[in-house]
Amino acid sequence: MANTDLNGKIVLITGASSGIGEACARRFAEAGARLILAARRRERLERLASELTVDTHPIAVDVRDRAEVEASLGALPQEWTAIDILINNAGLSRGLEKIHEGNPDSWDEMVDTNIKGLLYVSRTVIPGMVQRGSGHVINIGSIAGREVYPNGNVYCATKYAVDAITKGMRIDLVDSPVRVSTIDPGLVETEFSQVRFYGDKERAKKVYQGYQPLTGDDIADAAIWIASRPWHVQVAEVLVLPTAQRSTMIMKKE
Ligand code: NDP
Ligand code: 8X3
Protein backbone atom coordinates (compact mmCIF):
# COMPACT_ATOMS: atom_id res chain seq x y z
CA MET A 1 0.00 0.00 0.00
CA ALA A 2 1.40 3.42 -1.00
CA ASN A 3 2.37 5.99 1.60
CA THR A 4 0.12 9.05 1.89
CA ASP A 5 1.54 11.70 -0.43
CA LEU A 6 1.95 15.01 1.43
CA ASN A 7 2.57 17.00 -1.74
CA GLY A 8 -0.16 19.64 -2.12
CA LYS A 9 -1.86 18.68 1.16
CA ILE A 10 -3.14 21.58 3.28
CA VAL A 11 -1.59 21.45 6.75
CA LEU A 12 -2.66 23.77 9.58
CA ILE A 13 0.02 24.10 12.25
CA THR A 14 -0.77 26.01 15.45
CA GLY A 15 2.20 27.44 17.30
CA ALA A 16 4.15 27.68 14.04
CA SER A 17 6.14 30.74 15.15
CA SER A 18 8.67 28.78 17.20
CA GLY A 19 10.14 25.43 18.23
CA ILE A 20 8.30 22.25 17.28
CA GLY A 21 5.65 24.05 15.21
CA GLU A 22 8.22 25.95 13.18
CA ALA A 23 10.21 22.74 12.60
CA CYS A 24 7.01 21.00 11.43
CA ALA A 25 6.38 23.86 9.01
CA ARG A 26 9.84 23.48 7.51
CA ARG A 27 9.56 19.69 7.17
CA PHE A 28 6.03 19.69 5.71
CA ALA A 29 7.14 22.41 3.27
CA GLU A 30 9.99 20.15 2.13
CA ALA A 31 7.36 17.48 1.48
CA GLY A 32 5.46 19.94 -0.75
CA ALA A 33 2.54 20.66 1.59
CA ARG A 34 0.65 23.97 1.58
CA LEU A 35 0.74 25.53 5.03
CA ILE A 36 -1.60 27.52 7.24
CA LEU A 37 0.72 28.92 9.89
CA ALA A 38 -1.01 30.06 13.09
CA ALA A 39 0.35 31.77 16.24
CA ARG A 40 0.10 35.15 17.93
CA ARG A 41 3.39 36.63 16.65
CA ARG A 42 2.51 37.64 13.10
CA GLU A 43 5.99 38.97 12.22
CA ARG A 44 7.56 35.61 13.05
CA LEU A 45 5.03 33.78 10.90
CA GLU A 46 5.62 36.14 8.01
CA ARG A 47 9.38 35.74 8.29
CA LEU A 48 9.00 31.95 8.28
CA ALA A 49 6.58 32.11 5.33
CA SER A 50 9.08 34.19 3.37
CA GLU A 51 11.70 31.47 3.82
CA LEU A 52 9.48 28.66 2.54
CA THR A 53 9.04 27.86 -1.13
CA VAL A 54 5.50 26.48 -0.83
CA ASP A 55 2.14 28.31 -0.62
CA THR A 56 1.54 29.60 2.89
CA HIS A 57 -1.27 31.40 4.67
CA PRO A 58 -0.04 32.97 7.94
CA ILE A 59 -2.73 33.75 10.52
CA ALA A 60 -2.14 35.77 13.69
CA VAL A 61 -4.50 34.20 16.20
CA ASP A 62 -4.62 33.67 19.94
CA VAL A 63 -6.02 30.16 20.35
CA ARG A 64 -7.42 31.13 23.77
CA ASP A 65 -9.87 33.49 22.11
CA ARG A 66 -12.76 31.39 20.82
CA ALA A 67 -14.27 34.21 18.75
CA GLU A 68 -10.89 34.93 17.14
CA VAL A 69 -10.34 31.24 16.33
CA GLU A 70 -13.79 30.92 14.79
CA ALA A 71 -13.40 34.16 12.81
CA SER A 72 -9.95 33.38 11.43
CA LEU A 73 -10.01 29.59 10.94
CA GLY A 74 -13.74 29.36 10.30
CA ALA A 75 -13.60 31.93 7.50
CA LEU A 76 -10.54 30.93 5.50
CA PRO A 77 -10.22 31.94 1.85
CA GLN A 78 -11.86 29.28 -0.31
CA GLU A 79 -8.54 27.80 -1.49
CA TRP A 80 -7.47 27.12 2.11
CA THR A 81 -10.64 25.59 3.55
CA ALA A 82 -10.02 21.92 2.78
CA ILE A 83 -7.56 21.28 5.61
CA ASP A 84 -6.06 17.79 5.31
CA ILE A 85 -3.88 17.75 8.43
CA LEU A 86 -4.28 19.69 11.68
CA ILE A 87 -1.26 19.81 13.97
CA ASN A 88 -2.50 21.02 17.36
CA ASN A 89 0.84 22.17 18.71
CA ALA A 90 0.32 25.62 20.30
CA GLY A 91 0.99 25.29 24.00
CA LEU A 92 3.05 26.47 26.91
CA SER A 93 4.00 26.03 30.52
CA ARG A 94 4.17 28.87 33.02
CA GLY A 95 6.08 28.43 36.26
CA LEU A 96 7.31 25.40 38.14
CA GLU A 97 5.93 25.77 41.65
CA LYS A 98 4.29 23.62 44.29
CA ILE A 99 0.51 23.58 43.91
CA HIS A 100 -0.06 25.63 47.07
CA GLU A 101 2.44 28.25 45.90
CA GLY A 102 1.38 28.39 42.24
CA ASN A 103 0.15 31.45 40.39
CA PRO A 104 -3.54 31.14 39.42
CA ASP A 105 -3.00 33.49 36.47
CA SER A 106 -0.42 31.04 35.12
CA TRP A 107 -2.85 28.15 35.66
CA ASP A 108 -5.46 30.04 33.63
CA GLU A 109 -2.95 30.66 30.85
CA MET A 110 -1.98 26.97 30.61
CA VAL A 111 -5.54 25.66 30.81
CA ASP A 112 -6.81 28.26 28.33
CA THR A 113 -4.03 27.58 25.81
CA ASN A 114 -3.26 23.88 26.11
CA ILE A 115 -6.79 22.58 26.65
CA LYS A 116 -9.35 25.17 25.59
CA GLY A 117 -7.28 26.49 22.67
CA LEU A 118 -6.82 22.98 21.30
CA LEU A 119 -10.56 22.39 21.66
CA TYR A 120 -11.56 25.64 19.92
CA VAL A 121 -9.26 24.96 16.95
CA SER A 122 -10.39 21.33 16.72
CA ARG A 123 -14.08 22.25 16.90
CA THR A 124 -13.58 24.72 14.05
CA VAL A 125 -11.55 22.46 11.76
CA ILE A 126 -12.73 18.87 12.29
CA PRO A 127 -16.32 19.30 10.99
CA GLY A 128 -14.90 20.08 7.52
CA MET A 129 -12.76 16.94 7.66
CA VAL A 130 -15.79 14.85 8.58
CA GLN A 131 -17.83 16.44 5.81
CA ARG A 132 -15.11 15.78 3.22
CA GLY A 133 -14.54 12.27 4.55
CA SER A 134 -10.82 12.80 4.98
CA GLY A 135 -8.42 14.33 7.46
CA HIS A 136 -5.77 13.75 10.09
CA VAL A 137 -5.44 15.39 13.51
CA ILE A 138 -2.04 15.23 15.18
CA ASN A 139 -2.06 16.51 18.76
CA ILE A 140 1.19 17.41 20.50
CA GLY A 141 0.91 16.01 24.02
CA SER A 142 3.89 15.38 26.26
CA ILE A 143 5.59 12.85 28.49
CA ALA A 144 4.05 15.20 31.09
CA GLY A 145 0.69 13.77 30.03
CA ARG A 146 1.87 10.30 31.02
CA GLU A 147 3.79 11.02 34.25
CA VAL A 148 3.38 13.81 36.79
CA TYR A 149 6.64 15.31 38.06
CA PRO A 150 7.30 17.54 41.10
CA ASN A 151 5.93 21.08 40.58
CA GLY A 152 4.59 20.12 37.16
CA ASN A 153 1.05 19.86 38.59
CA VAL A 154 -1.12 22.08 36.36
CA TYR A 155 1.04 21.80 33.21
CA CYS A 156 0.93 18.01 33.59
CA ALA A 157 -2.84 18.19 34.11
CA THR A 158 -3.24 20.05 30.82
CA LYS A 159 -1.24 17.39 28.99
CA TYR A 160 -3.21 14.58 30.67
CA ALA A 161 -6.25 16.44 29.32
CA VAL A 162 -4.73 16.48 25.81
CA ASP A 163 -4.27 12.70 26.13
CA ALA A 164 -7.93 12.26 27.15
CA ILE A 165 -9.16 14.58 24.39
CA THR A 166 -7.07 12.73 21.80
CA LYS A 167 -8.51 9.39 22.89
CA GLY A 168 -12.00 10.89 22.88
CA MET A 169 -11.51 12.30 19.38
CA ARG A 170 -10.34 8.94 18.08
CA ILE A 171 -13.43 7.23 19.47
CA ASP A 172 -15.90 9.93 18.41
CA LEU A 173 -14.56 9.97 14.84
CA VAL A 174 -15.05 6.23 14.39
CA ASP A 175 -17.72 6.77 11.74
CA SER A 176 -15.41 8.90 9.60
CA PRO A 177 -12.03 8.04 8.08
CA VAL A 178 -10.39 10.96 9.94
CA ARG A 179 -7.23 9.71 11.68
CA VAL A 180 -6.22 10.90 15.15
CA SER A 181 -2.66 10.69 16.44
CA THR A 182 -0.61 12.08 19.28
CA ILE A 183 3.08 12.74 19.66
CA ASP A 184 4.29 12.88 23.26
CA PRO A 185 7.77 14.43 23.38
CA GLY A 186 10.22 14.37 26.24
CA LEU A 187 12.67 17.26 26.62
CA VAL A 188 12.96 19.30 23.42
CA GLU A 189 15.19 22.37 23.34
CA THR A 190 12.92 25.20 22.14
CA GLU A 191 11.69 28.42 23.71
CA PHE A 192 9.49 26.28 25.98
CA SER A 193 11.62 26.73 29.13
CA GLN A 194 12.16 30.44 28.49
CA VAL A 195 8.38 30.81 28.46
CA ARG A 196 8.03 28.58 31.54
CA PHE A 197 10.55 30.70 33.45
CA TYR A 198 9.03 34.01 32.32
CA GLY A 199 11.94 34.96 30.04
CA ASP A 200 14.80 33.84 32.33
CA LYS A 201 17.16 32.59 29.59
CA GLU A 202 19.91 31.45 31.96
CA ARG A 203 17.55 29.25 33.97
CA ALA A 204 16.03 27.94 30.74
CA LYS A 205 19.45 27.02 29.30
CA LYS A 206 20.23 24.87 32.36
CA VAL A 207 17.28 22.58 31.58
CA TYR A 208 19.11 21.33 28.49
CA GLN A 209 22.67 21.13 29.84
CA GLY A 210 24.69 17.95 30.44
CA TYR A 211 22.90 15.76 27.89
CA GLN A 212 21.64 15.96 24.31
CA PRO A 213 18.02 17.10 24.25
CA LEU A 214 15.67 16.59 21.32
CA THR A 215 15.26 19.33 18.72
CA GLY A 216 12.04 20.51 17.14
CA ASP A 217 13.17 18.72 14.00
CA ASP A 218 13.18 15.36 15.83
CA ILE A 219 9.48 15.86 16.56
CA ALA A 220 8.75 17.13 13.05
CA ASP A 221 10.37 13.92 11.81
CA ALA A 222 7.81 11.91 13.81
CA ALA A 223 4.98 14.10 12.48
CA ILE A 224 6.04 13.51 8.88
CA TRP A 225 6.27 9.77 9.50
CA ILE A 226 2.82 9.64 11.11
CA ALA A 227 1.19 11.78 8.41
CA SER A 228 2.69 9.83 5.52
CA ARG A 229 1.65 6.31 6.62
CA PRO A 230 -0.62 4.52 4.15
CA TRP A 231 -4.21 5.61 4.69
CA HIS A 232 -5.31 2.43 6.51
CA VAL A 233 -2.57 2.96 9.15
CA GLN A 234 -3.48 5.21 12.09
CA VAL A 235 -0.48 5.76 14.34
CA ALA A 236 -2.27 6.33 17.62
CA GLU A 237 0.56 7.41 19.94
CA VAL A 238 4.29 8.07 19.69
CA LEU A 239 6.46 8.79 22.76
CA VAL A 240 9.77 10.38 21.71
CA LEU A 241 12.49 10.89 24.34
CA PRO A 242 16.11 12.00 24.28
CA THR A 243 18.28 8.89 24.69
CA ALA A 244 19.50 10.30 28.01
CA GLN A 245 15.93 10.62 29.35
CA ARG A 246 14.21 7.50 30.69
CA SER A 247 11.26 9.13 32.47
CA THR A 248 10.35 12.71 33.38
CA MET A 249 12.83 12.66 36.25
CA ILE A 250 15.34 9.95 35.34
CA MET A 251 18.11 11.46 33.26
CA LYS A 252 21.71 10.51 32.56
CA LYS A 253 23.70 13.73 32.71
CA GLU A 254 27.45 14.15 32.20
P1 NDP B 1 7.82 27.11 21.99
O1 NDP B 1 7.64 28.06 23.12
O2 NDP B 1 9.08 27.18 21.21
O3 NDP B 1 6.58 27.25 20.98
C1 NDP B 1 5.27 27.36 21.44
C2 NDP B 1 4.38 27.82 20.30
O4 NDP B 1 3.03 27.92 20.79
C3 NDP B 1 4.77 29.19 19.78
O5 NDP B 1 4.70 29.19 18.38
C4 NDP B 1 3.71 30.12 20.35
O6 NDP B 1 3.48 31.20 19.45
C5 NDP B 1 2.50 29.17 20.38
N1 NDP B 1 1.49 29.65 21.30
C6 NDP B 1 1.57 29.76 22.65
N2 NDP B 1 0.45 30.30 23.15
C7 NDP B 1 -0.36 30.54 22.08
C8 NDP B 1 -1.64 31.13 21.95
N3 NDP B 1 -2.34 31.55 23.00
N4 NDP B 1 -2.18 31.22 20.71
C9 NDP B 1 -1.50 30.78 19.63
N5 NDP B 1 -0.28 30.24 19.70
C10 NDP B 1 0.29 30.13 20.91
O7 NDP B 1 7.61 25.67 22.62
P2 NDP B 1 7.58 24.20 21.95
O8 NDP B 1 7.78 24.27 20.49
O9 NDP B 1 8.47 23.35 22.75
O10 NDP B 1 6.09 23.79 22.30
C11 NDP B 1 5.18 23.30 21.33
C12 NDP B 1 4.29 22.25 21.98
O11 NDP B 1 5.08 21.15 22.38
C13 NDP B 1 3.56 22.71 23.24
O12 NDP B 1 2.24 22.22 23.21
C14 NDP B 1 4.34 22.07 24.37
O13 NDP B 1 3.55 21.85 25.50
C15 NDP B 1 4.74 20.77 23.70
N6 NDP B 1 5.87 20.07 24.28
C16 NDP B 1 7.09 20.67 24.40
C17 NDP B 1 8.16 19.97 24.95
C18 NDP B 1 9.50 20.58 25.15
O14 NDP B 1 10.29 20.00 25.91
N7 NDP B 1 9.83 21.69 24.51
C19 NDP B 1 7.99 18.59 25.36
C20 NDP B 1 6.66 18.06 25.22
C21 NDP B 1 5.66 18.78 24.67
P3 NDP B 1 3.18 32.71 19.85
O15 NDP B 1 3.89 32.99 21.13
O16 NDP B 1 3.71 33.48 18.67
O17 NDP B 1 1.70 32.78 19.95
C1 8X3 C 1 7.41 19.47 28.17
C2 8X3 C 1 8.37 18.50 28.72
O1 8X3 C 1 9.22 17.48 30.90
O2 8X3 C 1 9.27 19.89 30.69
O3 8X3 C 1 6.14 18.92 28.03
O4 8X3 C 1 7.20 18.74 31.00
S1 8X3 C 1 8.51 18.67 30.40
Side-chain angles (χ1 to χ4, degrees), residues 15-21 38-41 61-64 89-92 113-114 140-143 155 159 185-192 195 208:
S17 62
S18 173
I20 293 169
R40 291 166 300 180
R41 288 171 290 179
V61 62
D62 184 334
V63 297
R64 294 172 298 177
N89 163 76
L92 81 185
T113 309
N114 301 358
I140 305 300
S142 174
I143 188 174
Y155 176 70
K159 290 299 182 176
L187 287 152
V188 189
E189 187 165 11
T190 62
E191 293 174 19
F192 178 87
V195 173
Y208 308 109

Side-chain angles (χ1 to χ4, degrees), residues 30-57:
E30 278 168 24
R34 301 171 61 213
L35 303 175
I36 303 172
L37 305 170
R40 291 166 300 180
R41 288 171 290 179
R42 177 185 290 283
E43 69 292 348
R44 287 242 197 156
L45 296 177
E46 283 174 355
R47 195 181 334 134
L48 172 62
S50 73
E51 291 170 21
L52 303 176
T53 52
V54 291
D55 265 2
T56 56
H57 184 64

